[in-house]
Amino acid sequence: MNAEHARTAVVTGAGSGIGRAVAVELLRAGWSVALAGRRAGTLEETAALVPDGASLVAATDVARPDEVTALFAATVGRFGRVDLLFNNAGTFGPGGVPVEELPYDAWRHVVDTNLNGAFLCAQAAFRQMKEQAPQGGRIINNGSVSAHAPRPHSVAYTATKHALTGLTKSLSLDGRPYSIAVGQIDIGNAATDMTRRMETGALQANGVVAPEPVMDVADVARTVRHMAELPLAANVQFATVLATAMPYVGRG
């Protein structure tokens, strides 16, 4: 980051869960943050958690190219530049559905949100980061431990998270000439509304339903902030942050 300008971030999926926690962490650290998500009401709630923060609420469906374009235009119009994109918006889709029963519409919704949305936001960030002065910025993609090892009946979510790793690597390579650093954080069992069911019981690879440990989502937010605040000459390419005792290493 350059000390001569305020740091500006775009956080997608900022209305809840990991996105909200990261947005709050950045706002409290003095970043200007564009809060993107489908529901303006939940974004307003996020902004209210740091009432003296420099936030912009931008209702956005990341799967719609015109809305992504509008998001980045509004961010630059308000704050002048984009230093960070936290590409976080995502969905599990219908959990626990065997692959042979998964409706195509459900598959398409997960792909449109998790992969196409991440691409569209990264593309818009690239365009802005190449043009601005000083040039450059950082993109952090929210992967998942499912980018390494799947859960049962999670074909759409797992496929998109594996694809996101390829997106991260390609963006990282293509960003080098423009001082655009790209990394990925793979998260396991952060305590959010989306993961609440894991505390009561999640299907394991051996067919058993068992509760799983979770971790404080604030620990994820601090990790993202650390990645974000590195100088652009340094990059965390991949980070894995998970509940210490969750069944990830050795899953299956």
Side-chain angles (χ1 to χ4, degrees), residues 4-251:
E4 296 180 357
H5 65 266
R7 297 169 297 186
T8 298
V10 174
V11 177
T12 67
S16 63
I18 291 167
R20 172 174 285 179
V22 169
V24 166
E25 178 74 16
L26 294 174
L27 285 166
R28 287 175 176 165
W31 287 68
S32 301
V33 182
L35 307 170
R38 287 180 299 164
R39 295 177 295 277
T42 59
L43 299 175
E44 295 283 2
E45 291 170 4
T46 298
L49 294 173
V50 191
D52 57 345
S55 60
L56 168 68
V57 169
T60 307
D61 182 344
V62 297
R64 299 181 66 89
D66 55 336
E67 295 190 19
V68 171
T69 298
L71 163 65
F72 280 82
T75 302
V76 175
R78 171 76 177 274
F79 300 121
R81 60 182 288 117
V82 175
D83 296 291
L84 171 68
L85 165 64
F86 182 45
N87 231 345
N88 166 73
T91 179
F92 284 139
V97 179
V99 61
E100 68 274 16
E101 297 176 13
L102 183 69
Y104 176 72
D105 286 349
W107 164 272
R108 183 63 183 268
H109 175 65
V110 175
V111 172
D112 280 346
T113 303
N114 295 6
L115 180 57
N116 295 342
F119 163 73
L120 290 170
C121 289
Q123 184 182 54
F126 251 66
R127 288 170 175 159
Q128 174 59 31
M129 290 172 179
K130 284 178 64 176
E131 294 174 358
Q132 63 196 13
Q135 188 181 64
R138 189 180 305 275
I139 297 170
I140 301 173
N141 292 324
N142 185 354
S144 169
V145 295
S146 291
H148 306 274
R151 291 184 178 275
H153 306 320
S154 66
V155 64
Y157 181 77
T158 298
T160 59
K161 292 304 183 179
H162 275 70
L164 203 62
T165 298
L167 181 68
T168 297
K169 291 179 179 180
S170 247
L171 293 173
S172 186
L173 179 60
D174 293 346
R176 287 178 184 174
Y178 312 107
S179 297
I180 300 173
V182 185
Q184 180 171 316
I185 183 167
D186 296 328
I187 301 164
N189 287 21
T192 67
D193 288 342
M194 288 180 70
T195 61
R196 186 163 292 157
R197 62 182 178 80
M198 295 175 185
E199 297 181 73
T200 55
L203 181 64
Q204 306 298 307
N206 63 1
V208 172
V209 175
E212 295 187 10
V214 297
M215 64 175 169
D216 191 335
V217 71
D219 293 321
V220 175
R222 283 191 289 270
T223 304
V224 173
R225 179 184 163 197
H226 167 71
M227 295 169 70
E229 293 185 344
L230 288 171
L232 291 178
N235 187 41
V236 176
Q237 187 70 73
F238 292 98
T240 303
V241 183
L242 46 73
T244 302
M246 71 170 288
Y248 163 61
V249 176
R251 185 187 287 182

